[in-house]
Amino acid sequence: MTRNTTLSFLTAAAASALLAACAVGPRAPSADLPAAGAGAFIGSTSSTVSTAEARDDWWRLYNDPTLDGLIQQAFAQNNELEAAFANLRAVQASLSEARVGRFPTTTTSAQAQRSRASAATVQGLPAGEKAPEIDTYDVGLQASYEVDLFGRVESTIRAARADARAAQAALATVQVTVAAETTRAYADTCSANAQIAVAERTLDLQRNTSNLTQTLLDNGAGTGLDVASARAALAQTAATLPTLRAARNEALFRLATLTGVTPAEASQAAAACVRPPQLSQPIPVGDGAALLARRPDVREAEANLAAAAARVNVATANLFPQISLGGSIGSTALESGELGDDQNFRFSFGPLISWSFPNVFAARAQIKAAGARSDAALATFDQTVLTALQETETALSNYANELDRRAALTEARDQAARAAGLSRQRFNAGADSFLLVLDAERTQASADAALAQSDALVTTYQVALFRALAGGWQQAEN
């Protein structure tokens, strides 16, 4: 798909409206792009998914109370989430600071000082005498207000507001990640335990086989080759257990970090889980339009584009004069008790125009830099939209194909188990050699392990799909 046929309607909407209200400066880049990426997903034709609206609380589809509790704990205690919340508060404070530009700035002052002039500057002072010391008291209030004729203040506020939206979307991205990674760590722990259980069952079977070959050899009915082959198969299976246990511990410790506790405090319920979470219904995925409206990374890129475009207008406004209305009122007296006397009151008011006309070349360079950053933000937004669609379609494809693979592996495992049973019966009846029994058992062990790995991959691809669909966060009010 090409750039001009896949970008969603969000690109057109964002690009056309970003600078609609600006007083000066260029308009945001506009595009008339079809919403080809906003329709049904290619992978939504699979029976494993439905076109119903995607759920924010997608982990509840597993109907697993342990998982529900872990997600709740992660949302409450995850440190990356806490940092994202803090960053949002900081950016929102910056927005409040920018909004102050709409109001007059005021300062108050109060001063009391004793002074004496140089004798050389005082006319009529007799030679050798010092100038008199004078006490001066002053109180005052000054106020100034920028007349935003060229939109500098409003553009600054607009940029700060977009920054706040971007920070809010960044927080939502962390929430999506925490929900998905917590579920994946829990599922990986369960899957590793399931694979360990398969390996241990295989070990029991192979241990019995090894003991049988030794008994046959002791009774003169077996061979040393049979014993060595059986022990080799046993050792190969035993060698898989340390790797599986390490993977289980790694997933468990990762889960502890995600939920804000130390590895020693990792969930014992997760450690005891022996089966990956299971879905009992198709995954609701919605469509592309709903995806792009929901994905927080798309919202963040859109907000960054709005902020960059607004800053182009801030830079453009610097080409024009800044006009302020100011005034002051106060009282100056030689005695503190005279500050309230009418004759000691003072005031001033009037406009102030400042214009850095000689620095016009610097201002134009700033405009070019801001425009380049706006172009980069637009390209980033377009790429984010494409990436969101790509990730979702890839996750749908991986999930559907792994389900097909698991179905085939299930059939292979069932047939391998049947073949191993028949081979053992034939050996007991003297119809086959023991090497055929060992080969059948190796095939069964391999089929069991492959099926357990596929079960783990199915859950992994489910979580990847939920993550691509961007569930797990609720948009906060700004």
Side-chain angles (χ1 to χ4, degrees):
M1 291 185 290
T2 65
R3 172 188 173 97
N4 288 335
T5 59
T6 57
L7 297 183
S8 75
F9 66 93
L10 287 176
T11 306
S16 63
L18 286 177
L19 297 180
C22 293
V24 297
R27 299 296 177 186
S30 61
D32 185 16
L33 299 174
F41 296 118
I42 297 172
S44 64
T45 57
S46 170
S47 61
T48 61
V49 300
S50 73
T51 56
E53 183 179 357
R55 289 180 55 166
D56 288 332
D57 59 343
W58 52 266
W59 56 88
R60 298 188 187 278
L61 295 173
Y62 288 109
N63 195 26
D64 188 325
T66 298
L67 176 59
D68 292 345
L70 290 169
I71 294 290
Q72 184 177 7
Q73 182 180 353
F75 279 169
Q77 298 180 203
N78 183 270
N79 291 306
E80 291 184 359
L81 264 180
E82 180 60 31
F85 274 113
N87 289 336
L88 175 59
R89 292 195 299 271
V91 175
Q92 287 175 334
S94 297
L95 172 58
S96 298
E97 180 182 2
R99 285 171 172 162
V100 172
R102 290 172 171 164
F103 305 101
T105 59
T106 59
T107 58
T108 58
S109 62
Q111 177 179 312
Q113 69 175 22
R114 172 166 290 189
S115 62
R116 184 180 66 188
S118 169
T121 63
V122 179
Q123 294 183 357
L125 185 69
E129 290 191 16
K130 298 179 181 179
E133 295 181 355
I134 300 175
D135 292 332
T136 305
Y137 301 89
D138 183 89
V139 292
L141 171 67
Q142 297 84 37
S144 64
Y145 173 73
E146 180 176 348
V147 181
D148 194 26
L149 291 180
F150 305 104
R152 188 188 68 83
V153 173
E154 283 303 316
S155 294
T156 300
I157 295 172
R158 196 158 47 249
R161 188 181 296 117
D163 287 340
R165 293 200 307 272
Q168 190 175 70
L171 166 62
T173 298
V174 177
Q175 290 175 317
V176 169
T177 301
V178 167
E181 288 303 308
T182 300
T183 304
R184 188 166 73 90
Y186 172 67
D188 287 349
T189 303
C190 299
S191 297
N193 281 335
Q195 294 176 68
I196 289 170
V198 169
E200 288 176 341
R201 288 195 301 271
T202 302
L203 275 176
D204 289 340
L205 176 62
Q206 292 175 335
R207 191 175 292 112
N208 292 335
T209 300
S210 178
N211 292 337
L212 175 61
T213 59
Q214 185 64 51
T215 300
L216 291 174
L217 179 63
D218 293 342
N219 293 330
T223 66
L225 177 60
D226 292 342
V227 173
S229 298
R231 289 179 177 175
L234 179 64
Q236 287 176 344
T237 301
T240 64
L241 280 173
T243 301
L244 292 173
R245 288 169 180 153
R248 187 265 315 278
N249 291 340
E250 185 274 336
L252 190 61
F253 299 155
R254 180 158 37 96
L255 180 61
T257 300
L258 286 162
T259 53
V261 298
T262 65
E265 300 170 297
S267 169
Q268 294 305 304
C273 175
V274 295
R275 187 188 184 202
Q278 303 293 311
L279 290 176
S280 59
Q281 64 184 74
I283 296 177
V285 298
D287 57 22
L291 171 75
L292 297 177
R294 183 174 59 250
R295 288 262 305 210
D297 56 342
V298 174
R299 290 178 177 272
E300 182 178 4
E302 182 185 11
N304 286 334
L305 174 58
R311 289 187 171 97
V312 174
N313 286 71
V314 174
T316 303
N318 289 334
L319 285 174
F320 298 89
Q322 291 188 18
I323 302 174
S324 298
L325 297 177
S328 66
I329 186 172
S331 176
T332 303
L334 298 179
E335 298 288 341
S336 60
E338 298 175 353
L339 287 173
D341 294 349
D342 290 343
Q343 67 272 19
N344 292 329
F345 275 106
R346 56 178 172 77
F347 71 90
S348 66
F349 64 89
L352 172 64
I353 301 176
S354 61
W355 193 1
S356 301
F357 183 75
N359 294 327
V360 65
F361 296 108
R364 292 193 180 279
Q366 292 171 359
I367 293 171
K368 288 182 179 180
R373 285 189 286 270
S374 179
D375 292 341
L378 178 59
T380 299
F381 176 75
D382 291 346
Q383 184 63 25
T384 303
V385 169
L386 292 177
T387 300
L389 296 171
Q390 172 222 317
E391 288 178 352
T392 305
E393 294 287 10
T394 299
L396 283 165
S397 175
N398 287 343
Y399 177 47
N401 283 289
E402 189 58 35
L403 285 175
D404 292 340
R405 177 172 177 265
R406 185 176 68 174
L409 288 173
T410 300
E411 175 66 18
R413 189 276 315 272
D414 293 343
Q415 293 302 321
R418 182 170 179 269
L422 291 174
S423 179
R424 182 175 288 276
Q425 291 176 11
R426 290 175 61 82
F427 170 76
N428 292 337
D432 285 337
S433 71
F434 192 72
L435 290 179
L436 291 177
V437 175
L438 286 176
D439 184 63
E441 288 183 350
R442 287 193 189 98
T443 301
Q444 180 184 359
S446 176
D448 283 337
L451 181 58
Q453 291 172 356
S454 181
D455 283 338
L457 272 177
V458 165
T459 306
T460 296
Y461 288 143
Q462 285 172 352
V463 174
L465 177 56
F466 285 128
R467 181 172 182 171
L469 294 172
W473 67 280
Q474 294 289 336
Q475 186 174 9
E477 294 297 329
N478 185 12

